[in-house]
Amino acid sequence: MTDAFLDVLAIGNAIVDVFADTDDEFLQREGLPPGSMRLIDADRAVELYGRMGPGREVSGGAAANTLAGLAQLGARTAFIGQVAEDQLGQIYRHDLNAAGVKFDTPAREGEPPTGRCLILVSPDGQRTMNTLLGASHYLPSGAIDEAQVAGAAILLLEGYLWDPPEPRAAMRRAIEVARANGRRVALATCADFCVHMHGKDFRKLIDDGLIDIVLANEEEAGILEGSDPDAAIESLGRDVPLLVVTRAERGAVAIRGDEREEIAAEPIDRVVDTTGAGDLFAAGFLYGEVQGRSLKESLRIGAIAAAEVISHYGARPEQDLKRLVAEKLG
């Protein structure tokens, strides 16, 4: 096995988050219940995007958010995901590369367009979300850069992307390459509905010894194991080399063999928006892991990163994570 030239390589949804201010009149006119979250088709996405006010575009998706946090902390990162050959695809690529994440997966020609989440923010901060998954669900196996996979200390798989067949096949191929090169594979379960839909697949990957790190919250762990969260954490901790479970205000726990560590949630004055909390926790923890930190320190870095992102709107840090971690941990 050669030395890794990447710390973390992630495969995930390539979705542009487009934020724009709105009011109740606009939402009513467009038939959008305030605070709702819905999937939309390409025609509706183009129509709504054209009617929205001035927007702010940010490259999103769970894996991309994690990589952006990792890059800010100082990790060497890269992303594999599918955008289309369109304006938002160019924005996504530029934004992610500017954040310090290498992204050079070739764009897909033709329809559907680049995935986007149109986020309408009301004066009270409520967000109404309309998501087109678009090109992100057409990532082919041929887009997997096997040299990157072979050269990454950790391959991170985004659970959201396990649903469509093409990306699932691509991720399976990436797992094969990672295992053949002695690299570790991490799975982020991402959401309860992902585990409801694909828990059997996730479980088989674990039972077959293909997953080295599982990143989940306690509800997802419970669904995966078919038990209450506490029992699920214990059983999963015996079955996977490294288990990391977040427990909201109760903090987080990590289990590696006979080693178990728990931490409390990082103190915060006010929770503003929990979007991206799990993604940034994963960023902090994985950073500690690739740096060879202890389980407890890695958990703390994850908690620090998560606390920062829930203190404001959006899933990207607004403060310098590296400085925050240095101040709190040294």
Side-chain angles (χ1 to χ4, degrees):
M1 183 176 66
T2 59
D3 290 341
F5 58 83
L6 291 172
D7 294 312
V8 180
L9 168 69
I11 304 175
N13 277 308
I15 296 178
V16 179
D17 290 333
V18 184
F19 297 86
D21 291 332
T22 193
D23 54 34
D24 290 339
E25 182 181 349
F26 180 86
L27 296 178
Q28 184 176 9
R29 189 166 64 247
E30 295 297 324
L32 302 173
S36 62
M37 292 183 287
R38 59 178 59 185
L39 294 177
I40 57 177
D41 62 21
D43 289 342
R44 176 57 172 153
V46 171
E47 177 186 64
L48 185 58
Y49 182 66
R51 294 176 181 173
M52 290 169 59
R56 179 171 64 92
E57 291 90 4
V58 180
S59 55
N65 291 336
T66 295
L67 291 175
L70 275 158
Q72 191 178 119
L73 286 164
R76 301 166 300 173
T77 64
F79 177 71
I80 295 175
Q82 190 65 69
V83 296
E85 190 64 78
D86 56 19
Q87 181 184 19
L88 284 182
Q90 293 171 5
I91 289 171
Y92 191 96
R93 188 180 304 281
H94 175 271
D95 184 67
L96 205 55
N97 279 299
V101 179
K102 182 176 176 61
F103 174 41
D104 53 15
T105 306
R108 184 176 189 271
E109 295 182 1
E111 296 294 328
T114 295
R116 78 275 319 256
C117 183
L118 307 179
I119 304 169
L120 297 160
V121 184
S122 300
D124 62 358
Q126 189 175 56
R127 299 181 312 149
T128 302
M129 305 171 70
N130 304 269
T131 302
L132 167 70
L133 298 170
S136 67
H137 275 201
Y138 293 88
L139 176 73
S141 294
I144 297 300
D145 186 329
E146 296 190 4
Q148 282 189 337
V149 177
I154 295 175
L155 169 68
L156 173 63
L157 306 176
E158 180 186 309
Y160 284 127
L161 200 56
W162 196 260
D163 187 44
E166 276 193 276
R168 190 187 318 141
M171 286 191 281
R172 287 191 184 279
R173 177 56 187 155
I175 292 171
E176 292 175 0
V177 175
R179 304 305 302 185
N181 286 275
R183 304 306 188 186
R184 290 195 291 170
V185 180
L187 171 67
T189 53
C190 288
D192 55 0
F193 74 84
C194 290
V195 186
H196 277 301
M197 292 175 63
H198 304 296
K200 288 183 179 179
D201 273 2
F202 294 166
R203 186 72 245 187
K204 189 173 190 316
L205 291 172
I206 293 168
D207 292 342
D208 289 347
L210 299 178
I211 301 298
D212 302 285
I213 305 169
V214 170
L215 302 155
N217 66 31
E218 58 182 350
E219 182 180 5
E220 293 155 10
I223 297 168
L224 186 60
E225 294 294 275
S227 62
D228 69 83
D230 289 336
I233 290 170
E234 296 307 316
S235 62
L236 262 180
R238 292 190 292 268
D239 294 340
V240 68
L242 175 55
L243 173 68
V244 184
V245 178
T246 56
R247 303 187 293 183
E249 68 277 0
R250 295 170 56 209
V253 57
I255 300 174
R256 177 162 41 210
D258 295 331
E259 184 183 3
R260 178 190 175 105
E261 293 289 352
E262 296 185 36
I263 62 159
E266 195 71 13
I268 182 173
D269 292 335
R270 185 168 72 97
V271 175
V272 175
D273 177 13
T274 59
T275 304
D279 305 337
L280 269 294
F281 186 94
F285 183 88
L286 291 175
Y287 178 74
E289 185 68 12
V290 297
Q291 292 294 308
R293 300 256 194 161
S294 68
L295 279 186
K296 192 155 197 172
E297 285 183 318
S298 295
L299 287 170
R300 279 291 316 280
I301 299 171
I304 291 166
E308 194 286 331
V309 83
I310 66 176
S311 68
H312 55 77
Y313 289 106
R316 292 291 180 82
E318 293 184 353
Q319 298 185 62
D320 185 334
L321 289 184
K322 196 167 189 176
R323 178 182 57 78
L324 282 177
V325 170
E327 288 175 353
K328 292 176 179 289
L329 290 186

